[in-house]
Amino acid sequence: MEECQKQHGGDERFNAKTVNPVLIPYEDICNPKKDLSKTIETAYGYDGLGIIGVYGIPEVEKLREAVFKDGFKFANMETKVKEKYEHKASFYSFGWSHGKEILQGHPDYS
């Protein structure tokens, strides 16, 4: 960090800023009386990371296992089926996108 400051002086573009992820309990999401607007603004606002972590999800291990199994089944379906779930308008940010997104000029298969 000091070397970077010496190289770039007081240039603000090279100053690192620590941003912590926003975490909320699952019970807050389930509570219709809970106002989450400030939490969402913090996570997705100008200085946010663009993600919200949720903790305290009941039976999360069981749910995670089921999603992974279903994801495997879906990935192995016919192309015509998977194409129904592509979302080209969002540049494949939503829906099925395996190999459709372009990363550094090449299809992203990760």
Side-chain angles (χ1 to χ4, degrees), residues 21-71:
V22 173
L23 301 173
I24 57 174
Y26 178 76
E27 63 190 34
D28 285 3
I29 294 172
C30 297
N31 182 351
K33 295 180 182 180
K34 184 76 173 181
D35 182 7
L36 298 175
S37 58
K38 292 232 186 268
T39 303
I40 293 168
E41 184 177 341
T42 300
Y44 294 99
Y46 182 75
D47 288 327
L49 290 174
I51 60 170
I52 294 177
V54 179
Y55 63 91
I57 302 171
E59 300 184 23
V60 71
E61 294 86 5
K62 181 178 164 186
L63 295 169
R64 182 185 300 128
E65 184 177 330
V67 166
F68 285 147
K69 286 180 180 178
D70 289 344

mmCIF file of all heavy atoms in Angstrom, residues 21-71:
data_model
loop_
_atom_site.group_PDB
_atom_site.id
_atom_site.type_symbol
_atom_site.label_atom_id
_atom_site.label_comp_id
_atom_site.label_asym_id
_atom_site.label_seq_id
_atom_site.Cartn_x
_atom_site.Cartn_y
_atom_site.Cartn_z
ATOM 1 N N PRO A 21 -19.820 -6.457 3.602
ATOM 2 C CA PRO A 21 -21.085 -6.949 3.040
ATOM 3 C C PRO A 21 -22.236 -6.707 4.006
ATOM 4 O O PRO A 21 -22.055 -6.690 5.219
ATOM 5 C CB PRO A 21 -20.831 -8.448 2.854
ATOM 6 C CG PRO A 21 -19.729 -8.770 3.792
ATOM 7 C CD PRO A 21 -18.898 -7.530 3.932
ATOM 8 N N VAL A 22 -23.414 -6.522 3.448
ATOM 9 C CA VAL A 22 -24.621 -6.340 4.255
ATOM 10 C C VAL A 22 -25.182 -7.720 4.575
ATOM 11 O O VAL A 22 -25.388 -8.535 3.681
ATOM 12 C CB VAL A 22 -25.656 -5.488 3.489
ATOM 13 C CG1 VAL A 22 -26.970 -5.436 4.243
ATOM 14 C CG2 VAL A 22 -25.116 -4.088 3.248
ATOM 15 N N LEU A 23 -25.424 -7.977 5.850
ATOM 16 C CA LEU A 23 -25.964 -9.252 6.310
ATOM 17 C C LEU A 23 -27.268 -8.987 7.049
ATOM 18 O O LEU A 23 -27.352 -8.079 7.873
ATOM 19 C CB LEU A 23 -24.981 -9.948 7.251
ATOM 20 C CG LEU A 23 -23.602 -10.248 6.682
ATOM 21 C CD1 LEU A 23 -22.687 -10.773 7.770
ATOM 22 C CD2 LEU A 23 -23.696 -11.239 5.545
ATOM 23 N N ILE A 24 -28.279 -9.806 6.751
ATOM 24 C CA ILE A 24 -29.551 -9.677 7.460
ATOM 25 C C ILE A 24 -30.047 -11.057 7.868
ATOM 26 O O ILE A 24 -29.811 -12.040 7.171
ATOM 27 C CB ILE A 24 -30.637 -8.948 6.625
ATOM 28 C CG1 ILE A 24 -30.879 -9.652 5.291
ATOM 29 C CG2 ILE A 24 -30.284 -7.510 6.403
ATOM 30 C CD1 ILE A 24 -32.030 -9.068 4.503
ATOM 31 N N PRO A 25 -30.739 -11.114 8.997
ATOM 32 C CA PRO A 25 -31.288 -12.419 9.418
ATOM 33 C C PRO A 25 -32.508 -12.791 8.585
ATOM 34 O O PRO A 25 -33.297 -11.932 8.179
ATOM 35 C CB PRO A 25 -31.664 -12.187 10.888
ATOM 36 C CG PRO A 25 -31.806 -10.723 11.041
ATOM 37 C CD PRO A 25 -30.940 -10.077 9.997
ATOM 38 N N TYR A 26 -32.654 -14.057 8.344
ATOM 39 C CA TYR A 26 -33.781 -14.587 7.579
ATOM 40 C C TYR A 26 -35.110 -14.137 8.169
ATOM 41 O O TYR A 26 -36.042 -13.800 7.445
ATOM 42 C CB TYR A 26 -33.683 -16.118 7.547
ATOM 43 C CG TYR A 26 -34.817 -16.794 6.826
ATOM 44 C CD1 TYR A 26 -34.868 -16.797 5.439
ATOM 45 C CD2 TYR A 26 -35.832 -17.439 7.527
ATOM 46 C CE1 TYR A 26 -35.909 -17.425 4.764
ATOM 47 C CE2 TYR A 26 -36.866 -18.070 6.869
ATOM 48 C CZ TYR A 26 -36.902 -18.057 5.485
ATOM 49 O OH TYR A 26 -37.935 -18.679 4.829
ATOM 50 N N GLU A 27 -35.198 -14.110 9.479
ATOM 51 C CA GLU A 27 -36.457 -13.722 10.134
ATOM 52 C C GLU A 27 -36.883 -12.302 9.757
ATOM 53 O O GLU A 27 -38.072 -12.007 9.700
ATOM 54 C CB GLU A 27 -36.359 -13.883 11.644
ATOM 55 C CG GLU A 27 -35.319 -12.982 12.293
ATOM 56 C CD GLU A 27 -35.058 -13.324 13.749
ATOM 57 O OE1 GLU A 27 -35.121 -14.504 14.108
ATOM 58 O OE2 GLU A 27 -34.783 -12.394 14.517
ATOM 59 N N ASP A 28 -35.932 -11.407 9.466
ATOM 60 C CA ASP A 28 -36.286 -10.048 9.036
ATOM 61 C C ASP A 28 -36.946 -10.057 7.659
ATOM 62 O O ASP A 28 -37.851 -9.270 7.393
ATOM 63 C CB ASP A 28 -35.051 -9.141 8.994
ATOM 64 C CG ASP A 28 -34.596 -8.713 10.376
ATOM 65 O OD1 ASP A 28 -35.198 -9.155 11.379
ATOM 66 O OD2 ASP A 28 -33.624 -7.936 10.454
ATOM 67 N N ILE A 29 -36.498 -10.944 6.794
ATOM 68 C CA ILE A 29 -37.090 -11.045 5.454
ATOM 69 C C ILE A 29 -38.532 -11.554 5.555
ATOM 70 O O ILE A 29 -39.397 -11.148 4.790
ATOM 71 C CB ILE A 29 -36.257 -11.990 4.558
ATOM 72 C CG1 ILE A 29 -34.881 -11.386 4.301
ATOM 73 C CG2 ILE A 29 -36.963 -12.273 3.242
ATOM 74 C CD1 ILE A 29 -33.937 -12.316 3.594
ATOM 75 N N CYS A 30 -38.780 -12.427 6.511
ATOM 76 C CA CYS A 30 -40.104 -13.028 6.673
ATOM 77 C C CYS A 30 -41.092 -12.119 7.402
ATOM 78 O O CYS A 30 -42.283 -12.406 7.416
ATOM 79 C CB CYS A 30 -39.981 -14.348 7.429
ATOM 80 S SG CYS A 30 -39.022 -15.578 6.541
ATOM 81 N N ASN A 31 -40.595 -11.049 7.990
ATOM 82 C CA ASN A 31 -41.447 -10.157 8.770
ATOM 83 C C ASN A 31 -41.983 -9.033 7.885
ATOM 84 O O ASN A 31 -41.241 -8.117 7.517
ATOM 85 C CB ASN A 31 -40.644 -9.574 9.937
ATOM 86 C CG ASN A 31 -41.456 -8.670 10.826
ATOM 87 O OD1 ASN A 31 -42.593 -8.320 10.521
ATOM 88 N ND2 ASN A 31 -40.852 -8.279 11.941
ATOM 89 N N PRO A 32 -43.274 -9.053 7.532
ATOM 90 C CA PRO A 32 -43.822 -8.028 6.641
ATOM 91 C C PRO A 32 -43.817 -6.626 7.262
ATOM 92 O O PRO A 32 -43.914 -5.632 6.542
ATOM 93 C CB PRO A 32 -45.247 -8.495 6.361
ATOM 94 C CG PRO A 32 -45.574 -9.449 7.454
ATOM 95 C CD PRO A 32 -44.277 -10.028 7.934
ATOM 96 N N LYS A 33 -43.666 -6.524 8.578
ATOM 97 C CA LYS A 33 -43.633 -5.221 9.246
ATOM 98 C C LYS A 33 -42.218 -4.633 9.320
ATOM 99 O O LYS A 33 -42.046 -3.479 9.687
ATOM 100 C CB LYS A 33 -44.229 -5.330 10.649
ATOM 101 C CG LYS A 33 -45.703 -5.670 10.629
ATOM 102 C CD LYS A 33 -46.270 -5.761 12.015
ATOM 103 C CE LYS A 33 -47.746 -6.155 11.916
ATOM 104 N NZ LYS A 33 -48.364 -6.267 13.231
ATOM 105 N N LYS A 34 -41.234 -5.440 8.967
ATOM 106 C CA LYS A 34 -39.835 -4.996 9.029
ATOM 107 C C LYS A 34 -39.508 -4.171 7.793
ATOM 108 O O LYS A 34 -39.672 -4.618 6.666
ATOM 109 C CB LYS A 34 -38.916 -6.223 9.118
ATOM 110 C CG LYS A 34 -37.464 -5.912 9.276
ATOM 111 C CD LYS A 34 -37.169 -5.484 10.680
ATOM 112 C CE LYS A 34 -35.677 -5.341 10.871
ATOM 113 N NZ LYS A 34 -35.328 -4.947 12.213
ATOM 114 N N ASP A 35 -39.035 -2.951 8.000
ATOM 115 C CA ASP A 35 -38.645 -2.073 6.894
ATOM 116 C C ASP A 35 -37.183 -2.343 6.540
ATOM 117 O O ASP A 35 -36.280 -2.057 7.320
ATOM 118 C CB ASP A 35 -38.827 -0.610 7.297
ATOM 119 C CG ASP A 35 -38.475 0.360 6.179
ATOM 120 O OD1 ASP A 35 -38.219 -0.095 5.038
ATOM 121 O OD2 ASP A 35 -38.455 1.572 6.451
ATOM 122 N N LEU A 36 -36.965 -2.915 5.369
ATOM 123 C CA LEU A 36 -35.610 -3.263 4.925
ATOM 124 C C LEU A 36 -35.052 -2.256 3.915
ATOM 125 O O LEU A 36 -33.993 -2.486 3.335
ATOM 126 C CB LEU A 36 -35.619 -4.667 4.307
ATOM 127 C CG LEU A 36 -36.032 -5.796 5.245
ATOM 128 C CD1 LEU A 36 -36.126 -7.103 4.480
ATOM 129 C CD2 LEU A 36 -35.067 -5.921 6.402
ATOM 130 N N SER A 37 -35.735 -1.147 3.712
ATOM 131 C CA SER A 37 -35.330 -0.203 2.671
ATOM 132 C C SER A 37 -33.925 0.357 2.898
ATOM 133 O O SER A 37 -33.138 0.468 1.958
ATOM 134 C CB SER A 37 -36.349 0.926 2.522
ATOM 135 O OG SER A 37 -36.525 1.614 3.732
ATOM 136 N N LYS A 38 -33.567 0.686 4.131
ATOM 137 C CA LYS A 38 -32.217 1.217 4.404
ATOM 138 C C LYS A 38 -31.151 0.143 4.194
ATOM 139 O O LYS A 38 -30.077 0.415 3.687
ATOM 140 C CB LYS A 38 -32.146 1.784 5.821
ATOM 141 C CG LYS A 38 -32.975 3.028 6.024
ATOM 142 C CD LYS A 38 -32.140 4.113 6.635
ATOM 143 C CE LYS A 38 -32.983 5.329 6.978
ATOM 144 N NZ LYS A 38 -33.037 6.303 5.929
ATOM 145 N N THR A 39 -31.482 -1.079 4.579
ATOM 146 C CA THR A 39 -30.559 -2.200 4.387
ATOM 147 C C THR A 39 -30.310 -2.427 2.899
ATOM 148 O O THR A 39 -29.166 -2.598 2.471
ATOM 149 C CB THR A 39 -31.138 -3.482 5.025
ATOM 150 O OG1 THR A 39 -31.396 -3.234 6.400
ATOM 151 C CG2 THR A 39 -30.188 -4.646 4.879
ATOM 152 N N ILE A 40 -31.375 -2.413 2.116
ATOM 153 C CA ILE A 40 -31.256 -2.607 0.665
ATOM 154 C C ILE A 40 -30.480 -1.454 0.040
ATOM 155 O O ILE A 40 -29.613 -1.668 -0.815
ATOM 156 C CB ILE A 40 -32.657 -2.762 0.035
ATOM 157 C CG1 ILE A 40 -33.295 -4.064 0.517
ATOM 158 C CG2 ILE A 40 -32.582 -2.713 -1.489
ATOM 159 C CD1 ILE A 40 -34.769 -4.195 0.213
ATOM 160 N N GLU A 41 -30.745 -0.256 0.502
ATOM 161 C CA GLU A 41 -30.018 0.909 -0.019
ATOM 162 C C GLU A 41 -28.523 0.814 0.293
ATOM 163 O O GLU A 41 -27.681 1.122 -0.545
ATOM 164 C CB GLU A 41 -30.594 2.198 0.578
ATOM 165 C CG GLU A 41 -29.961 3.453 0.014
ATOM 166 C CD GLU A 41 -30.581 4.720 0.563
ATOM 167 O OE1 GLU A 41 -31.698 4.671 1.098
ATOM 168 O OE2 GLU A 41 -29.930 5.764 0.447
ATOM 169 N N THR A 42 -28.195 0.364 1.490
ATOM 170 C CA THR A 42 -26.789 0.202 1.863
ATOM 171 C C THR A 42 -26.104 -0.830 0.973
ATOM 172 O O THR A 42 -24.988 -0.633 0.505
ATOM 173 C CB THR A 42 -26.673 -0.224 3.349
ATOM 174 O OG1 THR A 42 -27.269 0.783 4.166
ATOM 175 C CG2 THR A 42 -25.224 -0.415 3.751
ATOM 176 N N ALA A 43 -26.792 -1.939 0.709
ATOM 177 C CA ALA A 43 -26.210 -3.020 -0.090
ATOM 178 C C ALA A 43 -26.084 -2.662 -1.563
ATOM 179 O O ALA A 43 -25.080 -2.973 -2.198
ATOM 180 C CB ALA A 43 -27.049 -4.281 0.064
ATOM 181 N N TYR A 44 -27.109 -2.005 -2.104
ATOM 182 C CA TYR A 44 -27.151 -1.772 -3.547
ATOM 183 C C TYR A 44 -26.945 -0.316 -3.944
ATOM 184 O O TYR A 44 -26.970 0.014 -5.129
ATOM 185 C CB TYR A 44 -28.487 -2.275 -4.118
ATOM 186 C CG TYR A 44 -28.615 -3.771 -4.012
ATOM 187 C CD1 TYR A 44 -29.347 -4.344 -2.987
ATOM 188 C CD2 TYR A 44 -27.980 -4.592 -4.925
ATOM 189 C CE1 TYR A 44 -29.453 -5.722 -2.878
ATOM 190 C CE2 TYR A 44 -28.085 -5.964 -4.818
ATOM 191 C CZ TYR A 44 -28.822 -6.521 -3.793
ATOM 192 O OH TYR A 44 -28.915 -7.885 -3.682
ATOM 193 N N GLY A 45 -26.722 0.549 -2.971
ATOM 194 C CA GLY A 45 -26.509 1.955 -3.256
ATOM 195 C C GLY A 45 -25.137 2.216 -3.846
ATOM 196 O O GLY A 45 -24.358 1.297 -4.136
ATOM 197 N N TYR A 46 -24.804 3.479 -3.977
ATOM 198 C CA TYR A 46 -23.573 3.914 -4.638
ATOM 199 C C TYR A 46 -22.326 3.245 -4.062
ATOM 200 O O TYR A 46 -21.447 2.827 -4.791
ATOM 201 C CB TYR A 46 -23.445 5.436 -4.560
ATOM 202 C CG TYR A 46 -22.226 5.959 -5.250
ATOM 203 C CD1 TYR A 46 -22.173 6.017 -6.643
ATOM 204 C CD2 TYR A 46 -21.114 6.364 -4.520
ATOM 205 C CE1 TYR A 46 -21.043 6.484 -7.295
ATOM 206 C CE2 TYR A 46 -19.983 6.832 -5.165
ATOM 207 C CZ TYR A 46 -19.955 6.891 -6.546
ATOM 208 O OH TYR A 46 -18.831 7.347 -7.175
ATOM 209 N N ASP A 47 -22.238 3.139 -2.748
ATOM 210 C CA ASP A 47 -21.046 2.565 -2.114
ATOM 211 C C ASP A 47 -21.216 1.101 -1.725
ATOM 212 O O ASP A 47 -20.368 0.538 -1.039
ATOM 213 C CB ASP A 47 -20.682 3.374 -0.859
ATOM 214 C CG ASP A 47 -20.114 4.734 -1.202
ATOM 215 O OD1 ASP A 47 -19.432 4.855 -2.240
ATOM 216 O OD2 ASP A 47 -20.364 5.693 -0.436
ATOM 217 N N GLY A 48 -22.305 0.477 -2.147
ATOM 218 C CA GLY A 48 -22.566 -0.909 -1.768
ATOM 219 C C GLY A 48 -21.845 -1.909 -2.653
ATOM 220 O O GLY A 48 -21.340 -1.588 -3.728
ATOM 221 N N LEU A 49 -21.817 -3.144 -2.191
ATOM 222 C CA LEU A 49 -21.191 -4.237 -2.948
ATOM 223 C C LEU A 49 -22.134 -4.854 -3.976
ATOM 224 O O LEU A 49 -21.718 -5.589 -4.847
ATOM 225 C CB LEU A 49 -20.721 -5.350 -2.000
ATOM 226 C CG LEU A 49 -19.546 -5.033 -1.105
ATOM 227 C CD1 LEU A 49 -19.293 -6.176 -0.136
ATOM 228 C CD2 LEU A 49 -18.306 -4.777 -1.939
ATOM 229 N N GLY A 50 -23.428 -4.609 -3.828
ATOM 230 C CA GLY A 50 -24.400 -5.183 -4.754
ATOM 231 C C GLY A 50 -24.882 -6.556 -4.350
ATOM 232 O O GLY A 50 -25.438 -7.287 -5.164
ATOM 233 N N ILE A 51 -24.654 -6.913 -3.093
ATOM 234 C CA ILE A 51 -25.128 -8.208 -2.594
ATOM 235 C C ILE A 51 -25.639 -8.048 -1.160
ATOM 236 O O ILE A 51 -25.232 -7.133 -0.446
ATOM 237 C CB ILE A 51 -24.042 -9.305 -2.616
ATOM 238 C CG1 ILE A 51 -22.847 -8.889 -1.750
ATOM 239 C CG2 ILE A 51 -23.605 -9.630 -4.018
ATOM 240 C CD1 ILE A 51 -21.842 -9.997 -1.532
ATOM 241 N N ILE A 52 -26.529 -8.941 -0.769
ATOM 242 C CA ILE A 52 -26.991 -9.022 0.614
ATOM 243 C C ILE A 52 -26.840 -10.479 1.042
ATOM 244 O O ILE A 52 -27.307 -11.388 0.358
ATOM 245 C CB ILE A 52 -28.470 -8.607 0.759
ATOM 246 C CG1 ILE A 52 -28.642 -7.124 0.425
ATOM 247 C CG2 ILE A 52 -28.970 -8.892 2.175
ATOM 248 C CD1 ILE A 52 -30.087 -6.648 0.464
ATOM 249 N N GLY A 53 -26.178 -10.700 2.153
ATOM 250 C CA GLY A 53 -26.060 -12.033 2.720
ATOM 251 C C GLY A 53 -27.182 -12.267 3.704
ATOM 252 O O GLY A 53 -27.547 -11.376 4.469
ATOM 253 N N VAL A 54 -27.754 -13.459 3.665
ATOM 254 C CA VAL A 54 -28.842 -13.807 4.572
ATOM 255 C C VAL A 54 -28.366 -14.955 5.457
ATOM 256 O O VAL A 54 -27.836 -15.945 4.963
ATOM 257 C CB VAL A 54 -30.105 -14.232 3.793
ATOM 258 C CG1 VAL A 54 -31.228 -14.606 4.752
ATOM 259 C CG2 VAL A 54 -30.549 -13.129 2.841
ATOM 260 N N TYR A 55 -28.563 -14.802 6.766
ATOM 261 C CA TYR A 55 -28.164 -15.862 7.685
ATOM 262 C C TYR A 55 -29.359 -16.318 8.513
ATOM 263 O O TYR A 55 -30.387 -15.642 8.570
ATOM 264 C CB TYR A 55 -27.012 -15.409 8.587
ATOM 265 C CG TYR A 55 -27.335 -14.258 9.508
ATOM 266 C CD1 TYR A 55 -27.817 -14.479 10.791
ATOM 267 C CD2 TYR A 55 -27.142 -12.949 9.095
ATOM 268 C CE1 TYR A 55 -28.118 -13.434 11.635
ATOM 269 C CE2 TYR A 55 -27.433 -11.880 9.929
ATOM 270 C CZ TYR A 55 -27.914 -12.136 11.208
ATOM 271 O OH TYR A 55 -28.210 -11.082 12.043
ATOM 272 N N GLY A 56 -29.218 -17.493 9.114
ATOM 273 C CA GLY A 56 -30.289 -18.026 9.954
ATOM 274 C C GLY A 56 -31.412 -18.683 9.164
ATOM 275 O O GLY A 56 -32.547 -18.753 9.632
ATOM 276 N N ILE A 57 -31.109 -19.171 7.962
ATOM 277 C CA ILE A 57 -32.122 -19.818 7.135
ATOM 278 C C ILE A 57 -32.354 -21.239 7.666
ATOM 279 O O ILE A 57 -31.415 -22.036 7.708
ATOM 280 C CB ILE A 57 -31.691 -19.868 5.658
ATOM 281 C CG1 ILE A 57 -31.438 -18.460 5.138
ATOM 282 C CG2 ILE A 57 -32.725 -20.608 4.816
ATOM 283 C CD1 ILE A 57 -30.794 -18.409 3.767
ATOM 284 N N PRO A 58 -33.581 -21.544 8.064
ATOM 285 C CA PRO A 58 -33.852 -22.887 8.591
ATOM 286 C C PRO A 58 -33.574 -23.967 7.536
ATOM 287 O O PRO A 58 -33.926 -23.812 6.376
ATOM 288 C CB PRO A 58 -35.354 -22.855 8.930
ATOM 289 C CG PRO A 58 -35.722 -21.413 9.003
ATOM 290 C CD PRO A 58 -34.768 -20.699 8.076
ATOM 291 N N GLU A 59 -32.922 -25.028 7.958
ATOM 292 C CA GLU A 59 -32.641 -26.189 7.103
ATOM 293 C C GLU A 59 -31.874 -25.819 5.832
ATOM 294 O O GLU A 59 -32.065 -26.428 4.775
ATOM 295 C CB GLU A 59 -33.932 -26.922 6.752
ATOM 296 C CG GLU A 59 -34.690 -27.440 7.956
ATOM 297 C CD GLU A 59 -35.910 -28.247 7.584
ATOM 298 O OE1 GLU A 59 -35.973 -28.793 6.454
ATOM 299 O OE2 GLU A 59 -36.811 -28.353 8.436
ATOM 300 N N VAL A 60 -30.973 -24.844 5.920
ATOM 301 C CA VAL A 60 -30.267 -24.378 4.728
ATOM 302 C C VAL A 60 -29.440 -25.487 4.066
ATOM 303 O O VAL A 60 -29.338 -25.533 2.841
ATOM 304 C CB VAL A 60 -29.403 -23.127 5.037
ATOM 305 C CG1 VAL A 60 -28.197 -23.474 5.899
ATOM 306 C CG2 VAL A 60 -28.961 -22.445 3.761
ATOM 307 N N GLU A 61 -28.871 -26.376 4.842
ATOM 308 C CA GLU A 61 -28.067 -27.455 4.262
ATOM 309 C C GLU A 61 -28.927 -28.362 3.378
ATOM 310 O O GLU A 61 -28.519 -28.731 2.272
ATOM 311 C CB GLU A 61 -27.377 -28.288 5.359
ATOM 312 C CG GLU A 61 -26.333 -27.525 6.136
ATOM 313 C CD GLU A 61 -26.913 -26.727 7.311
ATOM 314 O OE1 GLU A 61 -28.141 -26.846 7.592
ATOM 315 O OE2 GLU A 61 -26.159 -25.966 7.923
ATOM 316 N N LYS A 62 -30.110 -28.691 3.866
ATOM 317 C CA LYS A 62 -31.036 -29.548 3.117
ATOM 318 C C LYS A 62 -31.494 -28.842 1.832
ATOM 319 O O LYS A 62 -31.539 -29.445 0.758
ATOM 320 C CB LYS A 62 -32.238 -29.869 4.009
ATOM 321 C CG LYS A 62 -33.271 -30.758 3.401
ATOM 322 C CD LYS A 62 -34.371 -31.019 4.432
ATOM 323 C CE LYS A 62 -35.607 -31.568 3.779
ATOM 324 N NZ LYS A 62 -36.712 -31.696 4.736
ATOM 325 N N LEU A 63 -31.808 -27.557 1.945
ATOM 326 C CA LEU A 63 -32.242 -26.780 0.782
ATOM 327 C C LEU A 63 -31.117 -26.646 -0.250
ATOM 328 O O LEU A 63 -31.348 -26.760 -1.456
ATOM 329 C CB LEU A 63 -32.713 -25.393 1.222
ATOM 330 C CG LEU A 63 -33.947 -25.362 2.112
ATOM 331 C CD1 LEU A 63 -34.152 -23.976 2.699
ATOM 332 C CD2 LEU A 63 -35.169 -25.815 1.336
ATOM 333 N N ARG A 64 -29.898 -26.392 0.218
ATOM 334 C CA ARG A 64 -28.745 -26.254 -0.679
ATOM 335 C C ARG A 64 -28.512 -27.545 -1.458
ATOM 336 O O ARG A 64 -28.279 -27.529 -2.670
ATOM 337 C CB ARG A 64 -27.498 -25.888 0.117
ATOM 338 C CG ARG A 64 -26.269 -25.681 -0.764
ATOM 339 C CD ARG A 64 -24.992 -25.443 0.025
ATOM 340 N NE ARG A 64 -25.081 -24.275 0.859
ATOM 341 C CZ ARG A 64 -24.797 -24.265 2.163
ATOM 342 N NH1 ARG A 64 -24.421 -25.364 2.783
ATOM 343 N NH2 ARG A 64 -24.889 -23.165 2.855
ATOM 344 N N GLU A 65 -28.596 -28.673 -0.774
ATOM 345 C CA GLU A 65 -28.404 -29.966 -1.431
ATOM 346 C C GLU A 65 -29.452 -30.183 -2.522
ATOM 347 O O GLU A 65 -29.137 -30.629 -3.626
ATOM 348 C CB GLU A 65 -28.467 -31.092 -0.400
ATOM 349 C CG GLU A 65 -28.177 -32.452 -0.988
ATOM 350 C CD GLU A 65 -28.182 -33.553 0.068
ATOM 351 O OE1 GLU A 65 -27.849 -33.272 1.220
ATOM 352 O OE2 GLU A 65 -28.523 -34.691 -0.296
ATOM 353 N N ALA A 66 -30.701 -29.842 -2.232
ATOM 354 C CA ALA A 66 -31.783 -30.006 -3.209
ATOM 355 C C ALA A 66 -31.564 -29.114 -4.430
ATOM 356 O O ALA A 66 -31.769 -29.547 -5.573
ATOM 357 C CB ALA A 66 -33.130 -29.695 -2.564
ATOM 358 N N VAL A 67 -31.133 -27.880 -4.204
ATOM 359 C CA VAL A 67 -30.882 -26.960 -5.324
ATOM 360 C C VAL A 67 -29.748 -27.470 -6.195
ATOM 361 O O VAL A 67 -29.829 -27.427 -7.428
ATOM 362 C CB VAL A 67 -30.574 -25.533 -4.801
ATOM 363 C CG1 VAL A 67 -29.985 -24.656 -5.893
ATOM 364 C CG2 VAL A 67 -31.835 -24.902 -4.244
ATOM 365 N N PHE A 68 -28.681 -27.955 -5.593
ATOM 366 C CA PHE A 68 -27.568 -28.482 -6.391
ATOM 367 C C PHE A 68 -27.996 -29.689 -7.223
ATOM 368 O O PHE A 68 -27.606 -29.816 -8.388
ATOM 369 C CB PHE A 68 -26.372 -28.846 -5.505
ATOM 370 C CG PHE A 68 -25.604 -27.656 -5.015
ATOM 371 C CD1 PHE A 68 -25.004 -27.680 -3.772
ATOM 372 C CD2 PHE A 68 -25.469 -26.507 -5.779
ATOM 373 C CE1 PHE A 68 -24.282 -26.585 -3.307
ATOM 374 C CE2 PHE A 68 -24.762 -25.416 -5.337
ATOM 375 C CZ PHE A 68 -24.163 -25.447 -4.092
ATOM 376 N N LYS A 69 -28.794 -30.563 -6.645
ATOM 377 C CA LYS A 69 -29.282 -31.722 -7.401
ATOM 378 C C LYS A 69 -30.164 -31.287 -8.558
ATOM 379 O O LYS A 69 -30.039 -31.782 -9.671
ATOM 380 C CB LYS A 69 -30.047 -32.683 -6.476
ATOM 381 C CG LYS A 69 -29.156 -33.477 -5.559
ATOM 382 C CD LYS A 69 -29.961 -34.403 -4.668
ATOM 383 C CE LYS A 69 -29.060 -35.188 -3.746
ATOM 384 N NZ LYS A 69 -29.838 -36.050 -2.851
ATOM 385 N N ASP A 70 -31.066 -30.325 -8.298
ATOM 386 C CA ASP A 70 -31.943 -29.825 -9.363
ATOM 387 C C ASP A 70 -31.145 -29.089 -10.440
ATOM 388 O O ASP A 70 -31.458 -29.175 -11.626
ATOM 389 C CB ASP A 70 -33.021 -28.904 -8.789
ATOM 390 C CG ASP A 70 -34.070 -29.657 -7.991
ATOM 391 O OD1 ASP A 70 -34.138 -30.899 -8.122
ATOM 392 O OD2 ASP A 70 -34.810 -29.009 -7.239
ATOM 393 N N GLY A 71 -30.123 -28.359 -10.024
ATOM 394 C CA GLY A 71 -29.273 -27.658 -10.989
ATOM 395 C C GLY A 71 -28.575 -28.630 -11.921
ATOM 396 O O GLY A 71 -28.475 -28.390 -13.129
#
